[in-house]
Amino acid sequence: MSIIVKIDKSRFPNLSRGSFEDREYHFKGGIVGQRVEIKVRGKKSKKAKLLNIIERSDIEIESQCPHSEKCGGCSYQTLSYEEELKYKKELIENLFKENGIEREMEIIPSPVHKNYRNKMEYTFGDEYKGGPLSLGLHVKNRFHEIINTTDCKIVDEDFNTIREEVRTYFEDLGEVQYNRKRHEGFLRHLLIRKATKTGEIMILLSTSSQSQLDEEAFIKFLLDLDLKGQIVSIYHVKNDALSDAIVPEEIKLIYGKDHIEEEVLGLRFKISPFSFFQTNTKSAEVLYKMAREKIDAKDKLVFDLYSGTGTITQVLAESAKKVIGVEIVEEAVEAARENAKLNGIDNVEFIASDVLKVLDDLDKNPDLIVLDPPREGINPKAIDKIIDFDPEKFLYISCNPVTLVRDLGVFKERSYEIEELEIVDQFPKTSHAECITLISRID
């Protein structure tokens, strides 16, 4: 059954509520003030699926993106950036208020809100069954349909050029996309990474093993493209796994070096195909600078838990006595160690392990602990052990305010309080945001 409702409330992240005949329905997407068509999931269910926007909200403007109606990548292309910041700020403040934390927060805008993404993973497919080859993002609410994102507003401009040229190249060759239902076809994904400061570009093509790639011709075609940056690394991945993801069953570097180099706050970082790095380099610099300024690490022992490729570890190492980073992804730890060597930093140590497992082996007493966990937040089994180290302060950087507010409740129970809490808009035009929280022990 489909019905039309007016969105009267939204919750972070981008979850809406509307009423029909005295019954309240909840669904993903939408903006407060819109009249929308939704499909109810069952006779007694309050859950629904957003189908169409019937009438825009008063706070919306004309979208600058030609794909915003169909593409599932962005949530707020119809809001001015100023309005988007206000909207996100209110949603996050309400989330904290609902969980007993009532405070005014500042939202730090991104230095750039267009063409900022330095990494993109595209999928080969078709926009409709039996249609021509497409390469782009999934159509909203339609997993098997792929939209050609010819003029995406949030990716680096070179990405739009590479995406379209690669699509045309394979269409002219007559190569077909991998069908995720029948598990037939050749072309699967295209991954592009670009270092904002150096302009170095990495390209990774993922295919099945059901055809052959003329590597020499593909390399020449890519190097002949007219780009602002420079392609310095090209990979070919063969992937016959059933999941719709880039699974490097067989990975081959077919051109150039095995990484690109980025620069953040004067430090150099090698980025490999699958290593984690913030997708908005300029905003990441703002975030890391804030982290450095919020805590006095001078001559102190710092634990950086969930350290990734060691970006924050090295930023803090410039003044700290020593920083110990813990990260479960071994490839990220290897990259972190290499990056430390690259920057001539020798007062860091990286441990490749699950944070939960390594806590019992860390017999040192840190002065400060930095936490930058994945979207699911801190493992509930680990959080008490982390607090048991009893440092004077924690700095908690979170890409998911929902799990952050949950974890902050545990810190409160353990006699810690929020000293500072700010929102950093790392992901303009999307429903996501980063939070940075300084937590202090109550003496």
Side-chain angles (χ1 to χ4, degrees), residues 156-192:
D156 185 278
E157 291 176 275
D158 279 343
F159 289 30
N160 286 326
T161 301
I162 295 167
R163 186 213 60 80
E164 179 54 28
E165 293 290 347
V166 168
R167 189 205 68 79
T168 303
Y169 175 81
F170 284 113
E171 185 178 52
D172 290 345
L173 286 176
E175 292 288 6
V176 296
Q177 72 273 15
Y178 181 82
N179 186 291
R180 290 178 289 283
K181 282 184 177 178
R182 299 195 304 269
H183 309 297
E184 295 174 357
F186 181 55
L187 302 168
R188 299 201 68 168
H189 297 92
L190 181 73
L191 172 72
I192 309 174

Side-chain angles (χ1 to χ4, degrees), residues 260-278:
I260 56 175
E261 282 189 31
E262 181 61 287
E263 186 180 307
V264 175
L265 297 178
L267 298 171
R268 303 279 286 196
F269 295 92
K270 291 182 179 180
I271 303 172
S272 57
F274 302 107
S275 62
F276 172 79
F277 200 84
Q278 290 282 3

